[in-house]
Amino acid sequence: MTTSTAETKKLYQQVANSIADAIRDGIHKPGQRLPSERDLAEDYKVSRPTVREAMIALEIRGLVEARHGSGVYVTEAPRPEVSAPELDIGAFELTEARRLIEGEVAALAAATITDAELAELAAIMDEMVVENDNNVRGERADRRFHVTIAQASRNSALVTVVENLWDLRYKSPLCRAMLERARQVGVRPLIDDHQEILLALKERDPTSARNAMREHLGRVIDNLLTATEIDALERARNEVAARRTELARRSAI
């Protein structure tokens, strides 16, 4: 799938629009299961996360539905095209940006954070545990934790960047849908990860703080990959086949 520089900005939209056209043209019919995630990624020459974002975008438009453990199916003929929202960023792209930026923010904060700010972060973590236990939407305590670290960097530009990245979570329909899917399968703010970040900040160790933040947001990406998996049935079949092969090999010993 070849694209210009401007087009790659919304790569998942290209994939979604192409599949929507195929549905409209009858290539994919109502009730039909779409090709596997791997096949779509190969056909369009994009990454599997891009395919997942495209599938969720199509779900938002009401064209497909994901059936747990089975795949993605066509639901209806496409509605008239509407222009995409100006701010429509997927959760993978957003979290990747956070990982790059907030890692450096944490490193800077480690050199300037005060005891009062460390105490505030500890209190926010207690709130995060309560929110997790009560399944509170919006991750308000999680947002406060990360913004407080940015404020501890003593750089107002970085505070604005971190706040804007968090706000994009709520402004982008695609990002909201992806995060909601993650929540539905039990993904919550990672308390242990935040504890590691706090410990690194208490040690005033920029390298450890950077690594702890990057590792945390890397795990967020991993959790999103798991939560948006659309080939669960295919993966399960492959795992069963692999187990059967292994059992047969062991039986032959």
Side-chain angles (χ1 to χ4, degrees):
M1 185 174 186
T2 58
T3 61
S4 69
T5 302
E7 288 174 328
T8 48
K9 223 166 131 187
K10 300 288 185 184
L11 192 55
Y12 79 89
Q13 286 184 343
Q14 294 178 68
V15 176
N17 288 338
S18 181
I19 294 173
D21 288 343
I23 292 172
R24 182 193 61 206
D25 295 340
I27 297 172
H28 303 307
K29 303 183 184 303
Q32 180 182 353
R33 184 180 187 272
L34 291 179
S36 71
E37 179 184 283
R38 179 179 289 114
D39 288 343
L40 288 171
E42 290 176 356
D43 289 345
Y44 289 100
K45 296 181 174 57
V46 297
S47 68
R48 294 177 73 170
T50 296
V51 171
R52 295 180 195 184
E53 291 180 336
M55 291 299 102
I56 293 173
L58 289 170
E59 280 192 86
I60 293 172
R61 291 160 63 175
L63 301 182
V64 303
E65 62 176 354
R67 300 178 187 172
H68 182 66
S70 180
V72 178
Y73 291 77
V74 178
T75 56
E76 60 178 302
R79 298 189 290 262
E81 291 293 329
V82 294
S83 58
E86 184 178 356
L87 284 174
D88 200 0
I89 298 172
F92 294 118
E93 188 177 10
L94 178 62
T95 309
E96 181 181 54
R98 287 187 58 207
R99 183 173 181 268
L100 291 169
I101 293 167
E102 291 196 49
E104 298 309 309
V105 170
L108 184 56
T112 56
I113 197 165
T114 65
D115 289 343
E117 286 165 333
L118 289 169
E120 182 179 359
L121 288 173
I124 293 171
M125 279 193 56
D126 292 338
E127 294 177 24
M128 207 181 303
V129 172
V130 173
E131 286 189 358
N132 278 0
D133 291 344
N134 292 284
N135 194 23
V136 175
R137 296 175 184 274
E139 288 81 39
R140 291 187 294 272
D142 195 5
R143 183 186 192 278
R144 283 181 55 212
F145 185 91
H146 288 268
V147 171
T148 298
I149 293 174
Q151 291 168 341
S153 74
R154 306 292 181 266
N155 185 310
S156 58
L158 290 175
V159 174
T160 300
V161 170
V162 172
E163 288 179 330
N164 286 341
L165 286 172
W166 271 88
D167 290 344
L168 283 174
R169 290 163 56 99
Y170 314 115
K171 292 179 180 177
S172 164
L174 176 65
C175 192
R176 284 202 311 270
M178 295 178 74
L179 292 168
E180 178 57 28
R181 176 167 295 182
R183 172 169 285 282
Q184 288 173 358
V185 297
V187 174
R188 299 289 185 274
L190 304 168
I191 302 300
D192 289 347
D193 281 8
H194 289 81
Q195 183 66 44
E196 289 299 318
I197 295 167
L198 181 55
L199 287 173
L201 291 170
K202 283 181 177 179
E203 294 170 0
R204 270 73 175 189
D205 185 337
T207 299
S208 294
R210 177 188 295 111
N211 290 341
M213 182 66 78
R214 287 175 63 88
E215 288 171 8
H216 160 54
L217 291 169
R219 274 187 282 274
V220 171
I221 292 173
D222 289 341
N223 284 343
L224 282 168
L225 285 168
T226 301
T228 58
E229 176 62 69
I230 63 176
D231 282 336
L233 181 61
E234 181 179 348
R235 187 177 69 252
R237 285 173 176 164
N238 290 339
E239 289 172 353
V240 169
R243 284 198 297 270
R244 284 177 176 164
T245 299
E246 174 64 13
L247 287 171
R249 185 187 69 80
R250 293 171 68 88
S251 298
I253 296 175

